Amino acid sequence: MATPPSRAGTKGVPRARREEQILAAATEEFGSRGYAAASLPAVAARVGVTKTLLHQYFGAKQDLYLACLTPVGDRLVAVMRAAVAEGAAAGPSVTAPSAAAPSVTAPSAAAPSAAGPSAAASSAAAPPAAAGTPLLVLRAIFTALEGRREAWFLVYETSLPPGSEAARRAAEYRAAVNRLAADGTAGLLAAAGHEDPLDADALNHVWQGLVATLVRWWIKHPDQSPDAMARRCARLFAVAAALAPAAAQGDVPGNLPGGAG
């Protein structure tokens, strides 16, 4: 999702528009390189302004990071909570829809459309509520990140200065996301009749790693819209569920494909 450099400098560009350009470029720089490796001169070069102007608009590097992080973190937590609430209102969740599950003919009006050959396919069905809370959450994340996909990693940055406001705010967002993930995965297991807290902890770790991996894959495939990604995840979940039908009935791990024993 490279931000094309601008040669316009500051002349003739309203401040609000220039700030948007700087935040977009800085989000990509921080998200793709990490805080420590990110360069303010590189951000300035992406936008076509000077480093001095960055400082005039946003202050120090930590302040610029915080300005990028806050809207992203707020939106991610909000859309994930909304998706969880939607899944709860729709009834019991399942991790993958039936192959014959009906589809919705149009995506949410808030979902951006993709450019390029896949645009028509992207406007097709998003997974219905019956697909379950995990897919609703994934679709919400993809939709929230569209246009600034690298922003996901601002929440999980590890090189922020300890004790800084940016580090504190990122930790708050991580804690909120972690609580949603922990509650959601524990709820899925409970609905299936499994109460082992270690199962819940393991599934929570798997889920959070899966989301990060899917976002990384999505960044490498910019033609894939949020709706296309949600449909892809539905297919992958369906295949994963079919891989171990016996395990769901309490069979031994050695009977699984590639299992030991």
Side-chain angles (χ1 to χ4, degrees):
M1 304 294 291
T3 303
S6 168
R7 302 299 180 190
T10 59
K11 191 173 181 179
V13 179
R15 174 163 181 150
R17 175 58 183 155
R18 185 60 82 198
E19 288 180 351
E20 290 176 2
Q21 293 173 339
I22 292 172
L23 288 175
T27 297
E28 184 179 344
E29 176 76 6
F30 286 130
S32 60
R33 295 176 56 82
Y35 177 84
S39 162
L40 292 188
V43 174
R46 288 174 185 263
V47 185
V49 298
T50 64
K51 181 180 175 183
T52 299
L53 186 72
L54 295 187
H55 287 301
Q56 290 175 351
Y57 279 14
F58 293 100
K61 184 178 181 180
Q62 291 181 36
D63 299 320
L64 178 58
Y65 191 95
L66 189 61
C68 296
L69 169 68
T70 300
V72 170
D74 287 347
R75 178 155 175 75
L76 280 171
V77 172
V79 300
M80 291 174 71
R81 284 176 176 160
V84 169
E86 181 181 350
S93 297
V94 293
T95 56
S98 163
S103 59
V104 181
T105 56
S108 166
S113 59
S118 64
S122 300
S123 65
T133 302
L135 290 176
L136 292 172
V137 170
L138 283 170
R139 182 175 183 270
I141 291 171
F142 296 140
T143 300
L145 293 175
E146 180 65 334
R148 296 185 184 181
R149 301 182 183 188
E150 295 86 353
W152 172 263
F153 301 106
L154 269 63
V155 174
Y156 293 93
E157 177 56 44
T158 59
S159 66
L160 291 169
S164 66
E165 177 63 15
R168 184 189 68 78
R169 189 73 61 85
E172 290 178 351
Y173 289 130
R174 285 196 302 274
V177 171
N178 290 347
R179 283 193 298 270
L180 287 166
D183 291 346
T185 50
L188 285 174
L189 286 169
H194 302 298
E195 302 289 348
D196 187 336
L198 289 179
D199 280 356
D201 185 59
L203 183 57
N204 182 22
H205 279 73
V206 168
W207 168 255
Q208 296 198 52
L210 174 65
V211 174
T213 298
L214 287 169
V215 172
R216 287 191 179 95
W217 187 91
W218 189 37
I219 290 170
K220 295 177 182 178
H221 297 80
D223 60 314
Q224 297 294 297
S225 73
D227 286 341
M229 281 298 296
R231 292 194 302 274
R232 187 176 307 281
C233 290
R235 293 193 297 272
L236 296 177
F237 282 17
V239 171
L243 288 177
Q249 301 173 15
D251 207 346
V252 294
N255 289 343
L256 300 180

